[in-house]
Amino acid sequence: TAGPAGGPPSGLALLSEMELLGRIEASDRPMAELDLAELASGIARRLTTQEKPIELVAEGPIEIHGRADDLEIAISNLIENAQRYAPSGELVGVAVAATPGGALVRVENPGAAISPNHLSKIFERFFTTDAGRGGTGLGLSIVKSVAEAHGGSVACRREGDKTVFELRLRPSPNA
């Protein structure tokens, strides 16, 4: 979360993200059936702009067992990061698909590569390469916590000229 004029985050923003992370990690709130494709579609509609357009491919419905509010935060964080690093006017790709092991949300963007030295650290709390633009170093650690709370994982890699994040989730027990 960026601070005023894109500067360093405010103490309140940092505290808010720390509270969110603690809530996700300690949550005993029940999970429910939800359509991941529908959730991702709503997020993509909300976040797309003319300068940072999103192309969504979702083969739905994709039923999973989860907490919609936590998954919305994780998917939004991935898309917003991709938009931040994509050149203006370039598409951010979002794909949601069922997989043999559950479900996959793939977010990709063109632009500069993440340094190999940073790649192994980007999901750690407080690690940021974006402090000057308001990064707290918590966004991707929140994504990781949501993934793990849902029995899943998140990973990042470079494919050609694109940075790719993949959020993998377990299937619904009823699938």
Side-chain angles (χ1 to χ4, degrees), residues 24-66:
I24 291 166
E25 291 177 347
S27 185
D28 59 356
R29 293 174 301 128
M31 294 192 184
E33 295 297 311
L34 63 97
D35 181 351
L36 188 62
E38 183 179 307
L39 180 69
S41 178
I43 296 166
R45 277 193 307 272
R46 177 174 52 84
L47 294 178
T48 198
T49 67
Q50 188 170 350
E51 297 80 31
K52 300 292 182 171
I54 298 168
E55 178 181 58
L56 174 74
V57 176
E59 300 171 12
I62 299 168
E63 297 297 323
I64 66 164
H65 201 67

mmCIF file of all heavy atoms in Angstrom, residues 24-66:
data_model
loop_
_atom_site.group_PDB
_atom_site.id
_atom_site.type_symbol
_atom_site.label_atom_id
_atom_site.label_comp_id
_atom_site.label_asym_id
_atom_site.label_seq_id
_atom_site.Cartn_x
_atom_site.Cartn_y
_atom_site.Cartn_z
ATOM 1 N N ILE A 24 -5.298 -13.597 8.536
ATOM 2 C CA ILE A 24 -5.289 -14.702 7.571
ATOM 3 C C ILE A 24 -4.604 -15.925 8.183
ATOM 4 O O ILE A 24 -5.114 -17.043 8.110
ATOM 5 C CB ILE A 24 -4.589 -14.279 6.262
ATOM 6 C CG1 ILE A 24 -5.454 -13.256 5.525
ATOM 7 C CG2 ILE A 24 -4.293 -15.491 5.376
ATOM 8 C CD1 ILE A 24 -4.733 -12.521 4.412
ATOM 9 N N GLU A 25 -3.456 -15.704 8.811
ATOM 10 C CA GLU A 25 -2.676 -16.814 9.350
ATOM 11 C C GLU A 25 -3.345 -17.467 10.552
ATOM 12 O O GLU A 25 -3.164 -18.659 10.772
ATOM 13 C CB GLU A 25 -1.268 -16.350 9.699
ATOM 14 C CG GLU A 25 -0.456 -16.029 8.454
ATOM 15 C CD GLU A 25 0.919 -15.486 8.732
ATOM 16 O OE1 GLU A 25 1.222 -15.103 9.885
ATOM 17 O OE2 GLU A 25 1.716 -15.434 7.778
ATOM 18 N N ALA A 26 -4.106 -16.713 11.321
ATOM 19 C CA ALA A 26 -4.742 -17.261 12.521
ATOM 20 C C ALA A 26 -6.207 -17.613 12.310
ATOM 21 O O ALA A 26 -6.885 -18.010 13.248
ATOM 22 C CB ALA A 26 -4.620 -16.247 13.660
ATOM 23 N N SER A 27 -6.672 -17.501 11.096
ATOM 24 C CA SER A 27 -8.097 -17.625 10.840
ATOM 25 C C SER A 27 -8.639 -19.022 11.105
ATOM 26 O O SER A 27 -8.070 -20.018 10.680
ATOM 27 C CB SER A 27 -8.424 -17.235 9.397
ATOM 28 O OG SER A 27 -9.820 -17.251 9.230
ATOM 29 N N ASP A 28 -9.745 -19.023 11.803
ATOM 30 C CA ASP A 28 -10.503 -20.255 11.949
ATOM 31 C C ASP A 28 -11.898 -20.064 11.332
ATOM 32 O O ASP A 28 -12.810 -20.826 11.580
ATOM 33 C CB ASP A 28 -10.604 -20.681 13.415
ATOM 34 C CG ASP A 28 -11.272 -19.624 14.296
ATOM 35 O OD1 ASP A 28 -11.595 -18.532 13.792
ATOM 36 O OD2 ASP A 28 -11.465 -19.897 15.491
ATOM 37 N N ARG A 29 -12.005 -18.989 10.543
ATOM 38 C CA ARG A 29 -13.274 -18.755 9.856
ATOM 39 C C ARG A 29 -13.522 -19.902 8.885
ATOM 40 O O ARG A 29 -12.602 -20.402 8.252
ATOM 41 C CB ARG A 29 -13.238 -17.429 9.090
ATOM 42 C CG ARG A 29 -13.163 -16.210 9.991
ATOM 43 C CD ARG A 29 -12.978 -14.905 9.219
ATOM 44 N NE ARG A 29 -11.751 -14.958 8.431
ATOM 45 C CZ ARG A 29 -11.698 -14.682 7.128
ATOM 46 N NH1 ARG A 29 -12.759 -14.314 6.474
ATOM 47 N NH2 ARG A 29 -10.548 -14.761 6.484
ATOM 48 N N PRO A 30 -14.749 -20.300 8.745
ATOM 49 C CA PRO A 30 -15.045 -21.435 7.868
ATOM 50 C C PRO A 30 -14.848 -21.079 6.391
ATOM 51 O O PRO A 30 -14.993 -19.929 5.984
ATOM 52 C CB PRO A 30 -16.515 -21.740 8.148
ATOM 53 C CG PRO A 30 -17.079 -20.473 8.689
ATOM 54 C CD PRO A 30 -15.949 -19.771 9.398
ATOM 55 N N MET A 31 -14.500 -22.094 5.629
ATOM 56 C CA MET A 31 -14.397 -21.948 4.183
ATOM 57 C C MET A 31 -15.715 -22.420 3.582
ATOM 58 O O MET A 31 -16.443 -23.197 4.189
ATOM 59 C CB MET A 31 -13.234 -22.772 3.644
ATOM 60 C CG MET A 31 -11.895 -22.253 4.119
ATOM 61 S SD MET A 31 -10.545 -23.001 3.199
ATOM 62 C CE MET A 31 -9.149 -22.303 4.044
ATOM 63 N N ALA A 32 -16.003 -21.908 2.395
ATOM 64 C CA ALA A 32 -17.249 -22.250 1.718
ATOM 65 C C ALA A 32 -16.973 -22.502 0.246
ATOM 66 O O ALA A 32 -15.931 -22.105 -0.280
ATOM 67 C CB ALA A 32 -18.260 -21.102 1.880
ATOM 68 N N GLU A 33 -17.917 -23.135 -0.419
ATOM 69 C CA GLU A 33 -17.797 -23.354 -1.859
ATOM 70 C C GLU A 33 -17.870 -22.010 -2.567
ATOM 71 O O GLU A 33 -18.699 -21.166 -2.215
ATOM 72 C CB GLU A 33 -18.938 -24.244 -2.360
ATOM 73 C CG GLU A 33 -18.907 -25.652 -1.811
ATOM 74 C CD GLU A 33 -17.665 -26.419 -2.219
ATOM 75 O OE1 GLU A 33 -17.319 -26.420 -3.419
ATOM 76 O OE2 GLU A 33 -17.029 -27.006 -1.334
ATOM 77 N N LEU A 34 -17.006 -21.813 -3.550
ATOM 78 C CA LEU A 34 -17.068 -20.589 -4.343
ATOM 79 C C LEU A 34 -16.536 -20.871 -5.736
ATOM 80 O O LEU A 34 -15.801 -21.829 -5.961
ATOM 81 C CB LEU A 34 -16.298 -19.451 -3.673
ATOM 82 C CG LEU A 34 -14.795 -19.589 -3.478
ATOM 83 C CD1 LEU A 34 -14.044 -18.878 -4.593
ATOM 84 C CD2 LEU A 34 -14.404 -18.989 -2.159
ATOM 85 N N ASP A 35 -16.937 -20.019 -6.655
ATOM 86 C CA ASP A 35 -16.508 -20.123 -8.052
ATOM 87 C C ASP A 35 -15.317 -19.188 -8.249
ATOM 88 O O ASP A 35 -15.478 -17.964 -8.274
ATOM 89 C CB ASP A 35 -17.671 -19.759 -8.977
ATOM 90 C CG ASP A 35 -17.319 -19.854 -10.458
ATOM 91 O OD1 ASP A 35 -16.123 -20.028 -10.793
ATOM 92 O OD2 ASP A 35 -18.250 -19.741 -11.269
ATOM 93 N N LEU A 36 -14.127 -19.770 -8.374
ATOM 94 C CA LEU A 36 -12.904 -18.988 -8.511
ATOM 95 C C LEU A 36 -12.897 -18.163 -9.797
ATOM 96 O O LEU A 36 -12.415 -17.032 -9.814
ATOM 97 C CB LEU A 36 -11.688 -19.921 -8.469
ATOM 98 C CG LEU A 36 -10.321 -19.264 -8.421
ATOM 99 C CD1 LEU A 36 -10.156 -18.412 -7.160
ATOM 100 C CD2 LEU A 36 -9.232 -20.325 -8.489
ATOM 101 N N ALA A 37 -13.460 -18.702 -10.874
ATOM 102 C CA ALA A 37 -13.515 -17.965 -12.144
ATOM 103 C C ALA A 37 -14.376 -16.711 -11.999
ATOM 104 O O ALA A 37 -14.010 -15.634 -12.478
ATOM 105 C CB ALA A 37 -14.053 -18.864 -13.258
ATOM 106 N N GLU A 38 -15.491 -16.845 -11.323
ATOM 107 C CA GLU A 38 -16.382 -15.693 -11.105
ATOM 108 C C GLU A 38 -15.706 -14.652 -10.213
ATOM 109 O O GLU A 38 -15.773 -13.446 -10.481
ATOM 110 C CB GLU A 38 -17.685 -16.170 -10.466
ATOM 111 C CG GLU A 38 -18.707 -15.078 -10.251
ATOM 112 C CD GLU A 38 -19.982 -15.635 -9.646
ATOM 113 O OE1 GLU A 38 -20.541 -16.594 -10.201
ATOM 114 O OE2 GLU A 38 -20.411 -15.099 -8.598
ATOM 115 N N LEU A 39 -15.032 -15.103 -9.161
ATOM 116 C CA LEU A 39 -14.325 -14.188 -8.267
ATOM 117 C C LEU A 39 -13.243 -13.419 -9.029
ATOM 118 O O LEU A 39 -13.162 -12.193 -8.956
ATOM 119 C CB LEU A 39 -13.705 -14.968 -7.099
ATOM 120 C CG LEU A 39 -12.932 -14.139 -6.083
ATOM 121 C CD1 LEU A 39 -13.866 -13.242 -5.283
ATOM 122 C CD2 LEU A 39 -12.153 -15.055 -5.145
ATOM 123 N N ALA A 40 -12.427 -14.126 -9.795
ATOM 124 C CA ALA A 40 -11.349 -13.482 -10.559
ATOM 125 C C ALA A 40 -11.903 -12.532 -11.612
ATOM 126 O O ALA A 40 -11.338 -11.461 -11.854
ATOM 127 C CB ALA A 40 -10.457 -14.539 -11.204
ATOM 128 N N SER A 41 -13.012 -12.886 -12.222
ATOM 129 C CA SER A 41 -13.630 -12.031 -13.233
ATOM 130 C C SER A 41 -14.060 -10.698 -12.621
ATOM 131 O O SER A 41 -13.839 -9.635 -13.200
ATOM 132 C CB SER A 41 -14.823 -12.760 -13.850
ATOM 133 O OG SER A 41 -15.456 -11.946 -14.792
ATOM 134 N N GLY A 42 -14.656 -10.746 -11.453
ATOM 135 C CA GLY A 42 -15.062 -9.511 -10.772
ATOM 136 C C GLY A 42 -13.875 -8.640 -10.411
ATOM 137 O O GLY A 42 -13.915 -7.408 -10.549
ATOM 138 N N ILE A 43 -12.800 -9.267 -9.955
ATOM 139 C CA ILE A 43 -11.592 -8.517 -9.605
ATOM 140 C C ILE A 43 -10.999 -7.858 -10.847
ATOM 141 O O ILE A 43 -10.631 -6.681 -10.827
ATOM 142 C CB ILE A 43 -10.554 -9.442 -8.932
ATOM 143 C CG1 ILE A 43 -11.101 -9.965 -7.602
ATOM 144 C CG2 ILE A 43 -9.227 -8.714 -8.730
ATOM 145 C CD1 ILE A 43 -10.307 -11.132 -7.028
ATOM 146 N N ALA A 44 -10.912 -8.612 -11.933
ATOM 147 C CA ALA A 44 -10.340 -8.071 -13.180
ATOM 148 C C ALA A 44 -11.172 -6.895 -13.689
ATOM 149 O O ALA A 44 -10.606 -5.879 -14.121
ATOM 150 C CB ALA A 44 -10.248 -9.167 -14.238
ATOM 151 N N ARG A 45 -12.491 -6.998 -13.631
ATOM 152 C CA ARG A 45 -13.351 -5.874 -14.063
ATOM 153 C C ARG A 45 -13.098 -4.642 -13.209
ATOM 154 O O ARG A 45 -13.050 -3.529 -13.711
ATOM 155 C CB ARG A 45 -14.825 -6.269 -13.993
ATOM 156 C CG ARG A 45 -15.326 -7.032 -15.184
ATOM 157 C CD ARG A 45 -16.847 -7.123 -15.220
ATOM 158 N NE ARG A 45 -17.422 -7.632 -13.989
ATOM 159 C CZ ARG A 45 -17.611 -8.928 -13.716
ATOM 160 N NH1 ARG A 45 -17.260 -9.839 -14.596
ATOM 161 N NH2 ARG A 45 -18.145 -9.304 -12.577
ATOM 162 N N ARG A 46 -12.939 -4.843 -11.914
ATOM 163 C CA ARG A 46 -12.742 -3.730 -10.991
ATOM 164 C C ARG A 46 -11.384 -3.061 -11.191
ATOM 165 O O ARG A 46 -11.259 -1.840 -11.069
ATOM 166 C CB ARG A 46 -12.881 -4.231 -9.551
ATOM 167 C CG ARG A 46 -12.640 -3.185 -8.490
ATOM 168 C CD ARG A 46 -12.929 -3.686 -7.084
ATOM 169 N NE ARG A 46 -12.283 -4.924 -6.717
ATOM 170 C CZ ARG A 46 -11.035 -5.027 -6.256
ATOM 171 N NH1 ARG A 46 -10.286 -3.954 -6.136
ATOM 172 N NH2 ARG A 46 -10.541 -6.196 -5.929
ATOM 173 N N LEU A 47 -10.349 -3.833 -11.519
ATOM 174 C CA LEU A 47 -8.995 -3.287 -11.575
ATOM 175 C C LEU A 47 -8.537 -2.833 -12.956
ATOM 176 O O LEU A 47 -7.541 -2.119 -13.061
ATOM 177 C CB LEU A 47 -7.994 -4.327 -11.032
ATOM 178 C CG LEU A 47 -8.125 -4.659 -9.552
ATOM 179 C CD1 LEU A 47 -7.109 -5.723 -9.161
ATOM 180 C CD2 LEU A 47 -7.969 -3.415 -8.687
ATOM 181 N N THR A 48 -9.229 -3.230 -14.015
ATOM 182 C CA THR A 48 -8.763 -2.854 -15.361
ATOM 183 C C THR A 48 -8.939 -1.359 -15.597
ATOM 184 O O THR A 48 -9.901 -0.756 -15.149
ATOM 185 C CB THR A 48 -9.464 -3.690 -16.455
ATOM 186 O OG1 THR A 48 -8.718 -3.599 -17.660
ATOM 187 C CG2 THR A 48 -10.890 -3.238 -16.692
ATOM 188 N N THR A 49 -7.937 -0.781 -16.253
ATOM 189 C CA THR A 49 -7.996 0.631 -16.629
ATOM 190 C C THR A 49 -7.473 0.743 -18.056
ATOM 191 O O THR A 49 -6.873 -0.202 -18.578
ATOM 192 C CB THR A 49 -7.114 1.514 -15.716
ATOM 193 O OG1 THR A 49 -5.737 1.187 -15.937
ATOM 194 C CG2 THR A 49 -7.476 1.342 -14.250
ATOM 195 N N GLN A 50 -7.657 1.895 -18.659
ATOM 196 C CA GLN A 50 -7.163 2.100 -20.017
ATOM 197 C C GLN A 50 -5.630 2.020 -20.052
ATOM 198 O O GLN A 50 -5.050 1.474 -20.978
ATOM 199 C CB GLN A 50 -7.637 3.449 -20.555
ATOM 200 C CG GLN A 50 -7.324 3.638 -22.019
ATOM 201 C CD GLN A 50 -8.010 4.871 -22.584
ATOM 202 O OE1 GLN A 50 -8.860 5.473 -21.947
ATOM 203 N NE2 GLN A 50 -7.634 5.237 -23.787
ATOM 204 N N GLU A 51 -4.979 2.566 -19.017
ATOM 205 C CA GLU A 51 -3.526 2.552 -18.965
ATOM 206 C C GLU A 51 -2.976 1.182 -18.574
ATOM 207 O O GLU A 51 -1.864 0.823 -18.933
ATOM 208 C CB GLU A 51 -2.993 3.588 -17.953
ATOM 209 C CG GLU A 51 -3.329 5.022 -18.281
ATOM 210 C CD GLU A 51 -4.765 5.385 -17.880
ATOM 211 O OE1 GLU A 51 -5.289 4.818 -16.888
ATOM 212 O OE2 GLU A 51 -5.364 6.221 -18.564
ATOM 213 N N LYS A 52 -3.730 0.422 -17.809
ATOM 214 C CA LYS A 52 -3.295 -0.890 -17.312
ATOM 215 C C LYS A 52 -4.404 -1.915 -17.549
ATOM 216 O O LYS A 52 -5.062 -2.392 -16.620
ATOM 217 C CB LYS A 52 -2.950 -0.817 -15.818
ATOM 218 C CG LYS A 52 -1.842 0.157 -15.489
ATOM 219 C CD LYS A 52 -0.494 -0.293 -16.027
ATOM 220 C CE LYS A 52 0.593 0.702 -15.628
ATOM 221 N NZ LYS A 52 1.922 0.239 -15.937
ATOM 222 N N PRO A 53 -4.625 -2.274 -18.820
ATOM 223 C CA PRO A 53 -5.719 -3.198 -19.140
ATOM 224 C C PRO A 53 -5.402 -4.641 -18.715
ATOM 225 O O PRO A 53 -4.239 -5.034 -18.634
ATOM 226 C CB PRO A 53 -5.831 -3.097 -20.658
ATOM 227 C CG PRO A 53 -4.462 -2.682 -21.115
ATOM 228 C CD PRO A 53 -3.907 -1.826 -20.002
ATOM 229 N N ILE A 54 -6.459 -5.372 -18.449
ATOM 230 C CA ILE A 54 -6.348 -6.771 -18.039
ATOM 231 C C ILE A 54 -7.079 -7.631 -19.054
ATOM 232 O O ILE A 54 -8.211 -7.324 -19.434
ATOM 233 C CB ILE A 54 -6.973 -6.984 -16.639
ATOM 234 C CG1 ILE A 54 -6.228 -6.152 -15.599
ATOM 235 C CG2 ILE A 54 -6.984 -8.470 -16.266
ATOM 236 C CD1 ILE A 54 -6.935 -6.061 -14.266
ATOM 237 N N GLU A 55 -6.431 -8.693 -19.480
ATOM 238 C CA GLU A 55 -7.069 -9.681 -20.335
ATOM 239 C C GLU A 55 -7.295 -10.927 -19.487
ATOM 240 O O GLU A 55 -6.337 -11.540 -19.003
ATOM 241 C CB GLU A 55 -6.181 -10.012 -21.531
ATOM 242 C CG GLU A 55 -6.792 -11.070 -22.432
ATOM 243 C CD GLU A 55 -5.890 -11.392 -23.601
ATOM 244 O OE1 GLU A 55 -4.736 -11.789 -23.352
ATOM 245 O OE2 GLU A 55 -6.343 -11.232 -24.741
ATOM 246 N N LEU A 56 -8.561 -11.276 -19.292
ATOM 247 C CA LEU A 56 -8.916 -12.417 -18.451
ATOM 248 C C LEU A 56 -9.366 -13.582 -19.305
ATOM 249 O O LEU A 56 -10.196 -13.420 -20.201
ATOM 250 C CB LEU A 56 -10.045 -12.027 -17.482
ATOM 251 C CG LEU A 56 -10.605 -13.165 -16.640
ATOM 252 C CD1 LEU A 56 -9.619 -13.560 -15.544
ATOM 253 C CD2 LEU A 56 -11.934 -12.764 -16.027
ATOM 254 N N VAL A 57 -8.822 -14.752 -19.009
ATOM 255 C CA VAL A 57 -9.281 -15.998 -19.606
ATOM 256 C C VAL A 57 -9.673 -16.894 -18.438
ATOM 257 O O VAL A 57 -8.823 -17.235 -17.607
ATOM 258 C CB VAL A 57 -8.177 -16.679 -20.449
ATOM 259 C CG1 VAL A 57 -8.660 -18.021 -20.968
ATOM 260 C CG2 VAL A 57 -7.746 -15.774 -21.581
ATOM 261 N N ALA A 58 -10.946 -17.205 -18.355
ATOM 262 C CA ALA A 58 -11.435 -18.036 -17.250
ATOM 263 C C ALA A 58 -12.399 -19.075 -17.799
ATOM 264 O O ALA A 58 -13.406 -18.724 -18.411
ATOM 265 C CB ALA A 58 -12.125 -17.176 -16.197
ATOM 266 N N GLU A 59 -12.042 -20.308 -17.609
ATOM 267 C CA GLU A 59 -12.904 -21.399 -18.033
ATOM 268 C C GLU A 59 -13.671 -21.858 -16.808
ATOM 269 O O GLU A 59 -13.179 -22.658 -16.016
ATOM 270 C CB GLU A 59 -12.057 -22.530 -18.609
ATOM 271 C CG GLU A 59 -11.232 -22.088 -19.805
ATOM 272 C CD GLU A 59 -10.239 -23.144 -20.240
ATOM 273 O OE1 GLU A 59 -10.333 -24.297 -19.786
ATOM 274 O OE2 GLU A 59 -9.365 -22.804 -21.041
ATOM 275 N N GLY A 60 -14.847 -21.317 -16.625
ATOM 276 C CA GLY A 60 -15.572 -21.575 -15.388
ATOM 277 C C GLY A 60 -16.840 -22.334 -15.631
ATOM 278 O O GLY A 60 -17.194 -22.588 -16.775
ATOM 279 N N PRO A 61 -17.514 -22.663 -14.582
ATOM 280 C CA PRO A 61 -17.143 -22.380 -13.194
ATOM 281 C C PRO A 61 -16.017 -23.283 -12.716
ATOM 282 O O PRO A 61 -15.847 -24.397 -13.196
ATOM 283 C CB PRO A 61 -18.428 -22.650 -12.423
ATOM 284 C CG PRO A 61 -19.186 -23.636 -13.246
ATOM 285 C CD PRO A 61 -18.812 -23.346 -14.675
ATOM 286 N N ILE A 62 -15.257 -22.759 -11.763
ATOM 287 C CA ILE A 62 -14.174 -23.522 -11.147
ATOM 288 C C ILE A 62 -14.436 -23.499 -9.646
ATOM 289 O O ILE A 62 -14.176 -22.501 -8.972
ATOM 290 C CB ILE A 62 -12.797 -22.912 -11.489
ATOM 291 C CG1 ILE A 62 -12.596 -22.937 -13.002
ATOM 292 C CG2 ILE A 62 -11.690 -23.669 -10.766
ATOM 293 C CD1 ILE A 62 -11.431 -22.135 -13.489
ATOM 294 N N GLU A 63 -14.998 -24.573 -9.171
ATOM 295 C CA GLU A 63 -15.415 -24.649 -7.773
ATOM 296 C C GLU A 63 -14.237 -24.998 -6.874
ATOM 297 O O GLU A 63 -13.507 -25.953 -7.138
ATOM 298 C CB GLU A 63 -16.520 -25.695 -7.600
ATOM 299 C CG GLU A 63 -17.795 -25.373 -8.355
ATOM 300 C CD GLU A 63 -18.483 -24.103 -7.896
ATOM 301 O OE1 GLU A 63 -18.479 -23.810 -6.679
ATOM 302 O OE2 GLU A 63 -19.011 -23.382 -8.758
ATOM 303 N N ILE A 64 -14.051 -24.189 -5.842
ATOM 304 C CA ILE A 64 -13.061 -24.482 -4.814
ATOM 305 C C ILE A 64 -13.699 -24.252 -3.457
ATOM 306 O O ILE A 64 -14.786 -23.683 -3.352
ATOM 307 C CB ILE A 64 -11.775 -23.633 -4.963
ATOM 308 C CG1 ILE A 64 -12.076 -22.146 -4.730
ATOM 309 C CG2 ILE A 64 -11.101 -23.878 -6.293
ATOM 310 C CD1 ILE A 64 -10.840 -21.320 -4.484
ATOM 311 N N HIS A 65 -13.018 -24.677 -2.439
ATOM 312 C CA HIS A 65 -13.437 -24.487 -1.059
ATOM 313 C C HIS A 65 -12.510 -23.420 -0.485
ATOM 314 O O HIS A 65 -11.297 -23.634 -0.421
ATOM 315 C CB HIS A 65 -13.277 -25.827 -0.318
ATOM 316 C CG HIS A 65 -14.079 -25.955 0.909
ATOM 317 N ND1 HIS A 65 -15.447 -26.006 0.895
ATOM 318 C CD2 HIS A 65 -13.706 -26.049 2.208
ATOM 319 C CE1 HIS A 65 -15.884 -26.138 2.128
ATOM 320 N NE2 HIS A 65 -14.849 -26.166 2.943
ATOM 321 N N GLY A 66 -13.045 -22.255 -0.114
ATOM 322 C CA GLY A 66 -12.163 -21.201 0.361
ATOM 323 C C GLY A 66 -12.895 -20.056 1.020
ATOM 324 O O GLY A 66 -14.107 -20.085 1.201
#
